[in-house]
Amino acid sequence: MTIDLTGKVVAVTGASRGIGAAIAEAFAHAGASVACMATSEANAAKTRDAIVAAGGKAAAFAVNVADEDSVKAAFTAAESELGPIAILVNNAGITRDGLMMRMKSDDWDSVLAVNLKGAYLCTQAVMKSMMKARWGRIINISSVIGQHGAAGQANYAASKAGLLGLTMSTAKELGSRGITCNAIAPGFIETDMTHDLGEDFKTYVQNTAPAGRLGTPEDIAAPVLFLASEPASYITGQTLTVDGGLFL
Ligand SMILES: NC(=O)c1ccc[n+]([C@@H]2O[C@H](COP(=O)([O-])OP(=O)(O)OC[C@H]3O[C@@H](n4cnc5c(N)ncnc54)[C@H](OP(=O)(O)O)[C@@H]3O)[C@@H](O)[C@H]2O)c1
């Protein structure tokens, strides 16, 4: 199935590297205009430049997804440069790992603010134009850790589990307007975020997951693209686990 998103504008948060960069590039390849968002314009520009060099359409914007004013400013700028946003991918995320016994409340707050409040703020920022168009796609990047928990990641697990509740509520609020909202729960994907996990853990994943390997950012970009497509219009409020079968 070829997915053609020519004429659609997509906003991808956390688009500077890793999973977000692969998602942004996949959308550009499918013909969409991509608002690449990251914590600085220079970071976002790396993906924009790669897309433009490959013949696609993209623009770069700085945003702190945890900050309401920053989100409003970034999405206003993106819509005035590229047009109304039809597809939103809430991908920006951070970790501040530590056992709960020693976890600082700042580490709890910052992870919840970026990973969960950020998705709420960005969703709110695009809702109006999607409702007006009576078409929209929102895809939240959760995690298998949000489905299963992990020692040392209480803040991250809570934020990613919270995203699943946000996904279902968004689907229920916006479904009658032709807008779907779904979540992807990636397993262990080779990016900066998992760089320091250690060889023992990587070997464990390779030996345990039926797929026999860690995931790539492109493994996540492909189902995101599908959920954003027209043929996925009857799928909403769902979580798709993409982990090579690790948690089976
Ligand atoms: N890698 C995995 O194994 C894995 C597994 C499950 C779920 N995930 C989720 O997938 C998403 C992407 O992960 P990744 O591995 O690609 O991460 P990554 O390589 O660490 O990249 C994180 C991205 O988020 C952006 N970001 C961080 N804080 C932000 C903020 N306050 N406002 C706006 N953007 C912000 C970063 O921008 P800058 O470059 O400007 O800092 C960067 O683009 C995250 O939500 C993560 O939790 C990852």
Side-chain angles (χ1 to χ4, degrees):
M1 184 178 68
T2 308
I3 295 171
D4 183 2
L5 295 172
T6 305
K8 295 271 194 265
V9 178
V10 53
V12 182
T13 66
S16 53
R17 51 201 165 95
I19 293 171
I23 292 170
E25 287 174 20
F27 274 109
H29 191 68
S33 301
V34 188
C36 302
M37 297 185 173
T39 60
S40 72
E41 195 182 329
N43 288 354
K46 288 185 253 167
T47 303
R48 177 203 60 200
D49 292 348
I51 289 172
V52 171
K57 281 184 234 130
F61 303 92
V63 69
N64 174 7
V65 294
D67 181 273
E68 189 165 5
D69 290 340
S70 171
V71 168
K72 280 184 183 158
F75 280 83
T76 302
E79 294 211 326
S80 69
E81 191 164 338
L82 298 172
I85 288 161
I87 302 161
L88 168 67
V89 185
N90 284 312
N91 166 79
I94 59 168
T95 51
R96 296 284 181 273
D97 296 350
L99 291 173
M100 234 193 303
M101 179 99 83
R102 288 191 288 272
M103 186 175 283
K104 303 273 179 273
S105 64
D106 275 358
D107 290 335
W108 175 272
D109 289 344
S110 55
V111 168
L112 268 289
V114 173
N115 296 6
L116 185 54
K117 185 181 177 191
Y120 144 71
L121 289 174
C122 294
T123 299
Q124 206 172 43
V126 300
M127 266 180 174
K128 251 192 206 152
S129 55
M130 286 185 184
M131 286 165 82
K132 203 169 157 203
R134 301 193 73 81
W135 198 94
R137 297 282 187 268
I138 300 164
I139 296 129
N140 294 323
I141 306 301
S142 176
S143 169
V144 288
I145 303 302
Q147 298 172 308
H148 300 276
Q153 290 199 299
N155 49 358
Y156 184 77
S159 71
K160 294 298 184 179
L163 272 180
L164 304 183
L166 177 69
T167 299
M168 292 184 281
S169 299
T170 307
K172 286 187 173 183
E173 280 194 26
L174 302 181
S176 64
R177 312 294 185 106
I179 300 164
T180 69
C181 180
N182 292 288
I184 300 267
F188 292 92
I189 310 301
E190 293 200 75
T191 68
D192 293 347
M193 191 176 268
T194 49
H195 188 256
D196 296 330
L197 278 178
E199 283 312 309
D200 285 356
F201 185 78
K202 289 180 184 169
T203 305
Y204 164 78
V205 173
Q206 278 158 12
N207 292 340
T208 312
R213 62 175 176 84
L214 274 79
T216 65
E218 291 72 26
D219 288 325
I220 305 304
V224 170
L225 200 64
F226 168 67
L227 289 172
S229 70
E230 195 53 44
S233 63
Y234 202 54
I235 304 170
T236 195
Q238 305 303 306
T239 300
L240 179 61
T241 301
V242 184
D243 68 347
L246 182 65
F247 279 87
L248 278 176

